[in-house]
Amino acid sequence: MKIAIYHSSDEHSIEVGQDLSQILRENHIALDDQDPTVVITIGGDGTLLSAIQKYLPIIDRVRFVGVHTGHLGFYTDWRDYELDDLVKALKSDGCSEIGYPLLNIDVIHTDGTKANYKAINESTLRKLNGTLVADVLIGDQLFERFRGDGLCISTPTGSTAYNRSVGGAIVHPQLEAMQMAEIASINNRVFRTVGAALILAPNETVTIRPLPSYHRTYNFTADRLGILDKNVQSVHYGIAVPKVKFLKYRHTGFWNRVRNSFIGQIDEI
């Protein structure tokens, strides 16, 4: 086992990272930031998303575990005062893991070039100024002509993030589905969209094609990555083959995460 520690930039997370490094060395567990088998993130969900982006080239052979030092951690299973227990769990590792789907995203530019991205939460395409007008294809078939602020494509784990804020459904990650939610769509007697979030099967794809006559500057995001691009021809979404793998020592069940994050403690009557 080789451990990489990836922490946020705040002072407390840096101190926790230093403490964890010392405990790992005392337990003769190797540290390796370049080619780890386990990545421990210290911070919140944003820190974990950044770590996943960093280690995408080896995503098929690395597992993640999060240590929570902030206010709300949806992906993080351990607290900053549980470092000794975490290291004990690592030493008794039985390779237990749970996998979550990733989005595979291909952005095609008007000059024919292509860029590929991955996201564990969501990806959005929006206009900075004016209305996004785009054809939406499911598979090879035109589904609708969208007019509005933008579109959000999310994974099941990402369904509790921005997707939820724009009215999408919360989806259990074992379904391995993909969801498309509208961001402030225009619906009237002239312009119509489906007006609801769509949950797609794992073998289905979504393609967003902005109309050429409306080309301006687009804001494309993939998790915490944001890009401004004037030359987007289409964005193609599907479920990626590799999954993000998390250690399962004390992995909190999905619905427990949802309850803890959004509802809190319930007093029984």
Side-chain angles (χ1 to χ4, degrees):
M1 178 181 291
K2 296 179 293 183
I3 305 292
I5 297 175
Y6 188 98
H7 56 72
S8 60
S9 58
D10 66 276
E11 184 177 347
H12 179 54
S13 295
I14 293 172
E15 291 175 354
V16 172
Q18 292 170 345
D19 292 341
L20 179 57
S21 296
Q22 181 62 32
I23 297 172
L24 290 169
R25 291 190 184 97
E26 291 172 355
N27 284 269
H28 309 289
I29 298 177
L31 295 171
D32 187 341
D33 288 336
Q34 301 303 314
D35 190 28
T37 56
V38 173
V39 176
I40 302 175
T41 67
I42 301 173
D45 289 344
T47 306
L48 190 139
L49 294 178
S50 296
I52 290 172
Q53 291 296 329
K54 176 180 178 178
Y55 290 102
L56 274 177
I58 58 170
I59 199 72
D60 58 335
R61 62 178 188 270
V62 67
R63 293 175 294 161
F64 293 85
V65 60
V67 176
H68 176 46
T69 60
H71 298 291
L72 180 65
F74 195 84
Y75 289 108
T76 50
D77 292 308
W78 300 81
R79 294 303 305 267
D80 48 4
Y81 52 79
E82 298 178 304
L83 300 182
D84 288 321
D85 292 336
L86 172 56
V87 173
K88 288 179 182 177
L90 290 169
K91 292 180 69 175
S92 61
D93 178 40
C95 295
S96 180
E97 63 189 37
I98 184 169
Y100 288 160
L102 276 169
L103 284 178
N104 183 69
I105 311 160
D106 289 319
V107 178
I108 312 298
H109 301 95
T110 53
D111 62 1
T113 59
K114 181 169 72 173
N116 179 261
Y117 305 91
K118 299 287 192 299
I120 188 175
N121 265 5
E122 76 276 314
S123 172
T124 64
L125 185 67
R126 292 174 287 183
K127 285 285 288 294
L128 289 184
N129 297 299
T131 300
L132 172 67
V133 182
D135 286 340
V136 177
L137 291 79
I138 298 179
D140 296 327
Q141 300 297 314
L142 178 63
F143 178 74
E144 68 179 9
R145 177 158 291 176
F146 175 85
R147 287 175 171 84
D149 283 0
L151 290 160
C152 173
I153 311 296
S154 65
T155 66
T157 46
S159 68
T160 58
Y162 185 56
N163 167 79
R164 176 177 174 272
S165 300
V166 296
I170 295 178
V171 180
H172 196 287
Q174 287 185 351
L175 294 179
E176 297 189 17
M178 180 173 61
Q179 183 169 183
M180 182 180 75
E182 300 177 352
I183 306 171
S185 60
I186 297 173
N187 280 287
N188 51 40
R189 290 192 302 172
V190 179
F191 305 126
R192 298 296 300 170
T193 70
V194 70
L198 302 181
I199 299 175
L200 298 102
N203 63 330
E204 292 186 298
T205 61
V206 169
T207 302
I208 303 173
R209 291 179 181 168
L211 268 62
S213 58
Y214 291 86
H215 273 168
R216 294 179 190 168
T217 301
Y218 298 98
N219 183 12
F220 166 81
T221 69
D223 285 344
R224 304 191 82 194
L225 176 68
I227 298 174
L228 298 181
D229 197 322
K230 296 182 180 179
N231 303 301
V232 173
Q233 177 174 301
S234 64
V235 186
H236 182 80
Y237 294 95
I239 296 295
V241 174
K243 293 183 178 181
V244 176
K245 294 175 286 188
F246 291 85
L247 298 178
K248 201 179 177 181
Y249 306 139
R250 53 181 285 182
H251 195 71
T252 306
F254 181 75
W255 294 120
N256 285 334
R257 290 178 185 273
V258 173
R259 182 193 63 203
N260 294 339
S261 297
F262 302 115
I263 300 173
Q265 184 66 37
I266 300 175
D267 297 326
E268 295 185 7
I269 299 176

